Amino acid sequence: MQLGTRWSFGDEPPAGLPPVMIGAIADVEQELDDGAAEGVDPSSWRWTLTWLEGRAVVELDDGTVLHHDPATDSVTREDPA
């Protein structure tokens, strides 16, 4: 059984995440940092990691969700509506 965790936007993700997931998190954070001039301030947001059937699912407070597929070692991103 794997337990999830939470961490703050901009902090280092948990070490147990696959590198491709860590890269996807960095991409989301960079996009949001670039949008800071447009009135977006994600500095108080947090990420939530859960494990569903051995697959990492990471959600940001704004509703962005990243799903890791270990079979293909790829990440699918769902943006908030």
Coordinates of all heavy atoms in Angstrom, one line a residue:
M1 N 0.8 -1.2 0.0 CA 0.0 0.0 0.0 C 0.9 1.2 0.0 O 1.9 1.3 0.8 CB -0.9 0.0 1.2 CG -1.7 1.2 1.4 SD -2.6 1.2 2.9 CE -4.1 2.1 2.5
Q2 N 0.6 2.2 -0.8 CA 1.3 3.4 -0.9 C 0.4 4.6 -0.4 O -0.8 4.6 -0.7 CB 1.7 3.8 -2.3 CG 2.8 2.8 -2.9 CD 3.2 3.2 -4.3 OE1 2.3 3.0 -5.2 NE2 4.4 3.6 -4.5
L3 N 1.0 5.4 0.4 CA 0.2 6.6 0.9 C 0.5 7.8 0.1 O 1.6 8.0 -0.4 CB 0.6 6.8 2.4 CG 0.3 5.7 3.4 CD1 0.8 6.0 4.8 CD2 -1.2 5.4 3.4
G4 N -0.5 8.7 0.0 CA -0.3 9.9 -0.7 C 0.3 11.0 0.2 O 0.6 10.7 1.4
T5 N 0.5 12.1 -0.3 CA 1.0 13.3 0.4 C 0.6 14.6 -0.2 O 0.1 14.6 -1.3 CB 2.6 13.1 0.5 OG1 3.0 14.1 1.5 CG2 3.2 13.3 -0.8
R6 N 0.9 15.7 0.4 CA 0.7 17.0 -0.1 C 2.0 17.8 0.0 O 2.8 17.6 0.9 CB -0.4 17.7 0.6 CG -1.8 17.1 0.3 CD -2.9 17.8 1.1 NE -3.0 19.3 1.0 CZ -3.6 19.9 0.0 NH1 -4.2 19.3 -1.0 NH2 -3.7 21.3 0.0
W7 N 2.2 18.7 -0.9 CA 3.4 19.6 -0.8 C 3.0 20.9 -1.5 O 2.1 21.0 -2.3 CB 4.6 19.0 -1.4 CG 4.6 18.8 -2.9 CD1 5.2 19.6 -3.8 CD2 4.1 17.7 -3.7 NE1 5.0 19.2 -5.1 CE2 4.3 18.0 -5.0 CE3 3.3 16.6 -3.4 CZ2 3.9 17.2 -6.1 CZ3 2.9 15.8 -4.4 CH2 3.1 16.1 -5.7
S8 N 3.7 21.9 -1.2 CA 3.4 23.3 -1.7 C 3.9 23.5 -3.1 O 5.0 22.9 -3.5 CB 4.1 24.3 -0.8 OG 3.5 24.3 0.5
F9 N 3.2 24.3 -3.9 CA 3.6 24.7 -5.2 C 5.1 25.2 -5.1 O 5.4 26.1 -4.3 CB 2.7 25.8 -5.7 CG 2.9 26.3 -7.1 CD1 2.3 25.7 -8.1 CD2 3.8 27.3 -7.3 CE1 2.5 26.2 -9.4 CE2 4.1 27.8 -8.6 CZ 3.4 27.2 -9.6
G10 N 5.9 24.8 -6.0 CA 7.3 25.2 -6.0 C 8.3 24.4 -5.2 O 9.5 24.5 -5.4
D11 N 7.7 23.6 -4.3 CA 8.6 22.7 -3.5 C 8.9 21.5 -4.3 O 8.3 21.2 -5.3 CB 7.9 22.3 -2.2 CG 7.9 23.4 -1.2 OD1 8.5 24.5 -1.4 OD2 7.2 23.3 -0.1
E12 N 9.9 20.7 -3.8 CA 10.3 19.5 -4.5 C 9.3 18.4 -4.3 O 8.8 18.2 -3.2 CB 11.7 19.0 -3.9 CG 12.3 17.9 -4.7 CD 13.7 17.6 -4.2 OE1 14.4 18.5 -3.8 OE2 14.1 16.4 -4.3
P13 N 8.9 17.8 -5.4 CA 7.9 16.7 -5.3 C 8.5 15.5 -4.6 O 9.7 15.4 -4.4 CB 7.6 16.3 -6.8 CG 8.1 17.4 -7.6 CD 9.2 18.1 -6.8
P14 N 7.6 14.6 -4.1 CA 8.1 13.4 -3.4 C 9.1 12.6 -4.2 O 8.9 12.5 -5.5 CB 6.8 12.6 -3.1 CG 5.7 13.6 -3.2 CD 6.1 14.7 -4.2
A15 N 10.0 12.0 -3.6 CA 11.1 11.3 -4.3 C 10.6 10.0 -5.0 O 11.2 9.6 -6.0 CB 12.2 10.9 -3.3
G16 N 9.5 9.5 -4.6 CA 9.0 8.2 -5.2 C 8.3 8.4 -6.5 O 7.9 7.4 -7.1
L17 N 8.1 9.6 -7.0 CA 7.4 9.8 -8.2 C 8.3 9.5 -9.4 O 9.5 9.8 -9.4 CB 7.0 11.3 -8.3 CG 5.7 11.7 -7.5 CD1 5.5 13.2 -7.6 CD2 4.5 10.9 -7.9
P18 N 7.8 9.0 -10.5 CA 8.6 8.7 -11.7 C 9.1 10.0 -12.3 O 8.4 11.1 -12.2 CB 7.6 8.1 -12.6 CG 6.4 7.6 -11.8 CD 6.4 8.5 -10.6
P19 N 10.3 10.0 -12.9 CA 10.9 11.2 -13.5 C 9.9 11.9 -14.4 O 9.9 13.2 -14.5 CB 12.1 10.7 -14.1 CG 12.5 9.5 -13.4 CD 11.2 8.9 -13.0
V20 N 9.2 11.2 -15.2 CA 8.3 11.8 -16.2 C 7.2 12.6 -15.5 O 6.8 13.7 -16.0 CB 7.7 10.8 -17.2 CG1 6.7 9.8 -16.5 CG2 7.0 11.4 -18.4
M21 N 6.7 12.1 -14.3 CA 5.7 12.9 -13.6 C 6.3 14.1 -12.9 O 5.7 15.2 -13.0 CB 5.1 12.0 -12.5 CG 4.1 12.6 -11.6 SD 2.6 13.1 -12.5 CE 1.6 11.6 -12.1
I22 N 7.6 14.0 -12.4 CA 8.2 15.2 -11.9 C 8.4 16.3 -13.0 O 8.2 17.5 -12.7 CB 9.6 14.8 -11.2 CG1 9.3 13.9 -10.0 CG2 10.4 16.0 -10.9 CD1 10.5 13.3 -9.4
G23 N 8.7 15.8 -14.2 CA 8.9 16.8 -15.3 C 7.5 17.4 -15.6 O 7.5 18.6 -15.9
A24 N 6.4 16.7 -15.6 CA 5.1 17.2 -15.9 C 4.7 18.3 -14.8 O 4.1 19.3 -15.2 CB 4.1 16.1 -16.0
I25 N 5.0 18.0 -13.6 CA 4.7 18.9 -12.5 C 5.5 20.2 -12.7 O 5.0 21.3 -12.6 CB 5.1 18.3 -11.1 CG1 4.1 17.2 -10.8 CG2 5.1 19.4 -10.0 CD1 4.5 16.3 -9.7
A26 N 6.8 20.1 -13.1 CA 7.6 21.3 -13.4 C 7.1 22.1 -14.5 O 7.1 23.3 -14.5 CB 9.1 20.8 -13.6
D27 N 6.6 21.4 -15.5 CA 6.0 22.1 -16.7 C 4.8 22.9 -16.3 O 4.6 24.1 -16.7 CB 5.6 21.1 -17.8 CG 6.7 20.5 -18.5 OD1 7.9 21.0 -18.4 OD2 6.5 19.5 -19.2
V28 N 3.9 22.3 -15.5 CA 2.7 23.0 -15.0 C 3.1 24.2 -14.1 O 2.6 25.3 -14.3 CB 1.8 22.1 -14.2 CG1 0.7 22.9 -13.4 CG2 1.2 21.0 -15.0
E29 N 4.1 24.0 -13.2 CA 4.5 25.1 -12.4 C 5.1 26.3 -13.2 O 4.9 27.4 -12.9 CB 5.4 24.6 -11.3 CG 4.7 23.8 -10.3 CD 5.6 23.4 -9.1 OE1 6.9 23.6 -9.2 OE2 5.1 22.9 -8.1
Q30 N 5.9 25.9 -14.2 CA 6.5 26.9 -15.1 C 5.4 27.7 -15.8 O 5.5 29.0 -15.9 CB 7.5 26.3 -16.1 CG 8.2 27.3 -16.9 CD 9.1 28.3 -16.0 OE1 9.9 27.8 -15.2 NE2 8.9 29.5 -16.2
E31 N 4.5 27.0 -16.4 CA 3.4 27.7 -17.1 C 2.6 28.7 -16.2 O 2.3 29.8 -16.6 CB 2.4 26.7 -17.6 CG 2.9 25.9 -18.8 CD 1.9 24.9 -19.3 OE1 0.7 25.0 -19.0 OE2 2.4 23.9 -19.9
L32 N 2.4 28.3 -14.9 CA 1.7 29.1 -14.0 C 2.6 30.3 -13.5 O 2.1 31.4 -13.4 CB 1.2 28.3 -12.8 CG 0.0 27.4 -13.1 CD1 -0.2 26.4 -12.0 CD2 -1.2 28.2 -13.4
D33 N 3.9 30.0 -13.4 CA 4.8 31.1 -13.0 C 4.8 32.2 -14.1 O 4.8 33.4 -13.9 CB 6.2 30.6 -12.7 CG 6.3 30.0 -11.3 OD1 5.5 30.4 -10.5 OD2 7.3 29.2 -11.1
D34 N 4.8 31.7 -15.4 CA 4.8 32.6 -16.5 C 3.6 33.4 -16.6 O 3.6 34.5 -17.1 CB 5.0 31.8 -17.8 CG 6.4 31.2 -18.0 OD1 7.3 31.6 -17.2 OD2 6.6 30.3 -18.9
G35 N 2.4 32.9 -16.1 CA 1.2 33.6 -16.1 C 1.0 34.5 -14.9 O -0.1 35.1 -14.8
A36 N 2.0 34.6 -14.0 CA 1.8 35.4 -12.8 C 1.5 36.9 -13.2 O 0.8 37.6 -12.5 CB 3.1 35.3 -12.0
A37 N 2.1 37.3 -14.3 CA 1.8 38.7 -14.7 C 0.3 38.9 -15.1 O -0.1 40.0 -15.1 CB 2.7 39.1 -15.9
E38 N -0.4 37.8 -15.3 CA -1.8 37.9 -15.7 C -2.7 37.8 -14.5 O -3.9 37.5 -14.6 CB -2.1 36.8 -16.7 CG -1.4 36.9 -18.0 CD -1.6 35.8 -18.9 OE1 -2.6 35.0 -18.8 OE2 -0.7 35.6 -19.8
G39 N -2.2 38.0 -13.3 CA -3.0 38.0 -12.1 C -3.1 36.6 -11.4 O -3.9 36.5 -10.5
V40 N -2.4 35.6 -11.9 CA -2.4 34.3 -11.3 C -1.3 34.2 -10.3 O -0.1 34.4 -10.6 CB -2.3 33.2 -12.3 CG1 -2.2 31.8 -11.7 CG2 -3.4 33.2 -13.4
D41 N -1.7 33.9 -9.0 CA -0.7 33.8 -8.0 C -0.8 32.4 -7.3 O -1.6 32.2 -6.4 CB -0.8 34.8 -6.9 CG 0.3 34.7 -5.8 OD1 1.2 33.9 -6.0 OD2 0.1 35.4 -4.8
P42 N -0.1 31.4 -7.8 CA -0.2 30.0 -7.3 C 0.6 29.8 -6.0 O 0.7 28.6 -5.6 CB 0.2 29.2 -8.5 CG 1.3 30.0 -9.1 CD 0.8 31.4 -9.0
S43 N 1.3 30.8 -5.5 CA 2.2 30.5 -4.4 C 1.6 29.9 -3.2 O 2.4 29.2 -2.4 CB 2.9 31.9 -4.0 OG 1.9 32.8 -3.5
S44 N 0.3 30.0 -3.0 CA -0.3 29.4 -1.8 C -0.9 28.0 -2.1 O -1.5 27.4 -1.2 CB -1.3 30.3 -1.2 OG -2.4 30.5 -2.1
W45 N -0.9 27.6 -3.4 CA -1.5 26.4 -3.8 C -0.7 25.2 -3.4 O 0.5 25.3 -3.1 CB -1.7 26.3 -5.3 CG -2.6 27.3 -5.8 CD1 -3.4 28.2 -5.1 CD2 -2.9 27.6 -7.2 NE1 -4.2 29.0 -6.0 CE2 -3.8 28.7 -7.3 CE3 -2.4 27.2 -8.4 CZ2 -4.3 29.2 -8.4 CZ3 -2.8 27.7 -9.6 CH2 -3.8 28.7 -9.6
R46 N -1.3 24.0 -3.3 CA -0.7 22.8 -2.9 C -1.0 21.7 -3.9 O -2.0 21.7 -4.5 CB -1.1 22.4 -1.5 CG -0.6 23.4 -0.5 CD -0.9 23.1 0.9 NE -0.7 21.8 1.4 CZ 0.5 21.4 1.9 NH1 1.5 22.2 2.0 NH2 0.6 20.2 2.4
W47 N -0.1 20.8 -4.0 CA -0.3 19.5 -4.8 C -0.7 18.4 -3.9 O -0.3 18.4 -2.7 CB 1.0 19.1 -5.5 CG 1.6 20.0 -6.6 CD1 2.5 20.9 -6.5 CD2 1.2 19.9 -7.9 NE1 2.8 21.5 -7.7 CE2 1.9 20.9 -8.6 CE3 0.3 19.2 -8.7 CZ2 1.8 21.1 -10.0 CZ3 0.2 19.4 -10.0 CH2 0.9 20.4 -10.7
T48 N -1.6 17.5 -4.4 CA -2.0 16.3 -3.7 C -1.7 15.1 -4.5 O -2.1 15.0 -5.6 CB -3.5 16.4 -3.4 OG1 -3.8 17.6 -2.6 CG2 -3.9 15.2 -2.6
L49 N -0.9 14.2 -3.9 CA -0.6 12.9 -4.6 C -1.4 11.8 -4.0 O -1.5 11.7 -2.7 CB 0.9 12.6 -4.3 CG 1.4 11.2 -4.7 CD1 1.2 10.9 -6.1 CD2 2.8 11.0 -4.2
T50 N -2.0 11.1 -4.8 CA -2.7 9.8 -4.4 C -2.3 8.7 -5.3 O -1.8 8.9 -6.4 CB -4.3 10.0 -4.5 OG1 -4.6 10.4 -5.8 CG2 -4.8 11.0 -3.5
W51 N -2.3 7.5 -4.8 CA -2.0 6.3 -5.6 C -3.2 5.5 -5.8 O -3.9 5.1 -4.9 CB -0.9 5.5 -4.8 CG 0.4 6.2 -4.7 CD1 0.8 6.9 -3.6 CD2 1.4 6.2 -5.6 NE1 2.0 7.4 -3.8 CE2 2.5 7.0 -5.1 CE3 1.6 5.6 -6.9 CZ2 3.7 7.2 -5.7 CZ3 2.8 5.9 -7.5 CH2 3.8 6.6 -7.0
L52 N -3.6 5.3 -7.1 CA -4.8 4.6 -7.4 C -4.3 3.3 -8.2 O -3.8 3.4 -9.3 CB -5.7 5.4 -8.3 CG -6.3 6.6 -7.6 CD1 -7.1 7.5 -8.6 CD2 -7.1 6.3 -6.4
E53 N -4.4 2.2 -7.6 CA -4.0 0.9 -8.2 C -2.5 1.0 -8.6 O -2.2 0.6 -9.7 CB -4.9 0.5 -9.3 CG -6.4 0.3 -8.8 CD -7.3 -0.1 -10.0 OE1 -6.9 -0.2 -11.1 OE2 -8.5 -0.3 -9.7
G54 N -1.7 1.6 -7.8 CA -0.3 1.7 -8.1 C 0.1 2.8 -9.1 O 1.2 2.9 -9.5
R55 N -0.9 3.6 -9.5 CA -0.6 4.7 -10.5 C -0.7 6.0 -9.7 O -1.6 6.3 -9.0 CB -1.7 4.7 -11.6 CG -1.6 3.4 -12.4 CD -2.7 3.4 -13.4 NE -2.7 2.1 -14.1 CZ -2.9 2.0 -15.4 NH1 -3.2 3.0 -16.1 NH2 -2.9 0.8 -15.9
A56 N 0.3 6.8 -10.0 CA 0.3 8.2 -9.3 C -0.7 9.1 -10.0 O -0.7 9.2 -11.2 CB 1.8 8.8 -9.4
V57 N -1.4 9.8 -9.2 CA -2.3 10.8 -9.6 C -2.0 12.0 -8.8 O -2.0 12.0 -7.5 CB -3.8 10.4 -9.5 CG1 -4.7 11.6 -9.9 CG2 -4.1 9.1 -10.2
V58 N -1.7 13.2 -9.4 CA -1.3 14.4 -8.7 C -2.3 15.5 -9.1 O -2.6 15.7 -10.3 CB 0.1 14.8 -9.1 CG1 0.5 16.1 -8.5 CG2 1.1 13.7 -8.7
E59 N -2.9 16.2 -8.1 CA -3.8 17.3 -8.4 C -3.4 18.5 -7.7 O -3.0 18.5 -6.6 CB -5.2 16.9 -7.9 CG -6.2 17.9 -8.3 CD -7.7 17.5 -8.0 OE1 -7.9 16.4 -7.5 OE2 -8.6 18.3 -8.2
L60 N -3.4 19.6 -8.5 CA -3.1 21.0 -8.0 C -4.4 21.6 -7.5 O -5.5 21.3 -8.0 CB -2.4 21.8 -9.1 CG -1.9 23.2 -8.7 CD1 -0.8 23.1 -7.6 CD2 -1.3 23.8 -9.9
D61 N -4.3 22.5 -6.5 CA -5.5 23.2 -6.0 C -6.4 23.9 -7.0 O -7.6 24.0 -6.8 CB -5.1 24.2 -4.9 CG -4.7 23.6 -3.6 OD1 -5.0 22.4 -3.4 OD2 -4.1 24.3 -2.8
D62 N -5.8 24.2 -8.2 CA -6.6 24.9 -9.2 C -7.4 23.9 -10.1 O -8.2 24.2 -10.9 CB -5.8 25.7 -10.2 CG -5.0 24.9 -11.2 OD1 -4.7 23.7 -10.9 OD2 -4.6 25.5 -12.2
G63 N -7.2 22.6 -9.8 CA -8.0 21.5 -10.5 C -7.2 20.8 -11.6 O -7.7 19.9 -12.2
T64 N -5.9 21.2 -11.9 CA -5.1 20.5 -12.8 C -4.8 19.1 -12.2 O -4.4 19.0 -11.1 CB -3.8 21.3 -13.0 OG1 -4.1 22.6 -13.5 CG2 -2.9 20.6 -14.0
V65 N -5.0 18.1 -13.1 CA -4.7 16.7 -12.6 C -3.7 16.1 -13.6 O -3.9 16.2 -14.8 CB -6.0 15.9 -12.6 CG1 -5.7 14.5 -12.1 CG2 -7.0 16.6 -11.7
L66 N -2.8 15.4 -13.0 CA -1.8 14.6 -13.8 C -1.9 13.1 -13.5 O -1.9 12.8 -12.3 CB -0.4 15.1 -13.5 CG -0.1 16.6 -13.7 CD1 1.3 16.9 -13.2 CD2 -0.2 16.9 -15.2
H67 N -2.0 12.3 -14.5 CA -2.1 10.8 -14.3 C -0.9 10.2 -14.9 O -0.6 10.4 -16.1 CB -3.4 10.3 -15.0 CG -4.7 10.8 -14.5 ND1 -5.4 10.2 -13.5 CD2 -5.4 11.9 -14.9 CE1 -6.5 10.9 -13.3 NE2 -6.5 12.0 -14.1
H68 N -0.2 9.3 -14.1 CA 0.9 8.6 -14.7 C 0.4 7.2 -15.1 O -0.3 6.5 -14.4 CB 2.0 8.4 -13.6 CG 3.2 7.7 -14.1 ND1 3.5 6.4 -13.6 CD2 4.1 7.9 -15.0 CE1 4.6 6.0 -14.2 NE2 5.0 6.9 -15.1
D69 N 0.8 6.8 -16.3 CA 0.6 5.4 -16.8 C 1.9 4.7 -16.8 O 2.8 4.9 -17.6 CB 0.0 5.5 -18.2 CG -0.3 4.1 -18.8 OD1 0.1 3.1 -18.2 OD2 -0.9 4.1 -19.9
P70 N 2.1 3.8 -15.8 CA 3.4 3.1 -15.8 C 3.6 2.1 -16.9 O 4.8 1.9 -17.2 CB 3.3 2.3 -14.4 CG 1.8 2.2 -14.1 CD 1.2 3.4 -14.8
A71 N 2.6 1.7 -17.6 CA 2.8 0.8 -18.8 C 3.6 1.5 -19.9 O 4.4 0.9 -20.6 CB 1.5 0.3 -19.3
T72 N 3.3 2.8 -20.1 CA 3.9 3.6 -21.2 C 4.8 4.6 -20.6 O 5.5 5.3 -21.4 CB 2.8 4.3 -22.0 OG1 2.1 5.2 -21.2 CG2 1.9 3.3 -22.7
D73 N 4.9 4.7 -19.3 CA 5.7 5.8 -18.6 C 5.4 7.1 -19.2 O 6.3 7.9 -19.6 CB 7.2 5.5 -18.6 CG 8.0 6.3 -17.6 OD1 7.4 6.7 -16.6 OD2 9.1 6.6 -17.9
S74 N 4.1 7.4 -19.2 CA 3.7 8.7 -19.8 C 2.7 9.4 -18.8 O 2.2 8.7 -17.9 CB 3.0 8.5 -21.1 OG 1.8 7.7 -21.0
V75 N 2.5 10.7 -19.0 CA 1.6 11.5 -18.1 C 0.5 12.1 -19.0 O 0.8 12.6 -20.0 CB 2.4 12.6 -17.4 CG1 1.4 13.4 -16.6 CG2 3.4 11.9 -16.5
T76 N -0.7 11.9 -18.5 CA -1.9 12.6 -19.1 C -2.3 13.8 -18.2 O -2.3 13.6 -17.0 CB -3.0 11.6 -19.2 OG1 -2.6 10.5 -20.0 CG2 -4.2 12.3 -19.9
R77 N -2.5 14.9 -18.8 CA -2.9 16.1 -18.1 C -4.3 16.5 -18.3 O -4.8 16.5 -19.5 CB -1.9 17.2 -18.5 CG -2.2 18.6 -17.9 CD -1.2 19.6 -18.3 NE -1.6 20.9 -17.9 CZ -0.8 22.0 -18.0 NH1 0.4 21.8 -18.6 NH2 -1.2 23.2 -17.6
E78 N -5.0 16.8 -17.3 CA -6.4 17.3 -17.3 C -6.4 18.7 -16.8 O -6.0 18.9 -15.6 CB -7.4 16.5 -16.5 CG -7.5 15.0 -17.0 CD -8.4 14.3 -16.1 OE1 -9.3 14.9 -15.4 OE2 -8.2 13.1 -15.9
D79 N -6.7 19.7 -17.6 CA -6.7 21.1 -17.1 C -8.1 21.4 -16.6 O -9.1 20.8 -17.0 CB -6.4 22.0 -18.3 CG -4.9 22.0 -18.6 OD1 -4.1 22.0 -17.7 OD2 -4.6 21.8 -19.8
P80 N -8.2 22.4 -15.6 CA -9.5 22.7 -15.1 C -10.4 23.3 -16.1 O -9.9 23.9 -17.1 CB -9.1 23.8 -14.0 CG -7.8 24.2 -14.3 CD -7.1 23.1 -15.1
A81 N -11.7 23.2 -16.0 CA -12.6 23.7 -17.0 C -12.7 25.2 -17.0 O -12.4 25.9 -16.2 CB -14.0 23.1 -16.7

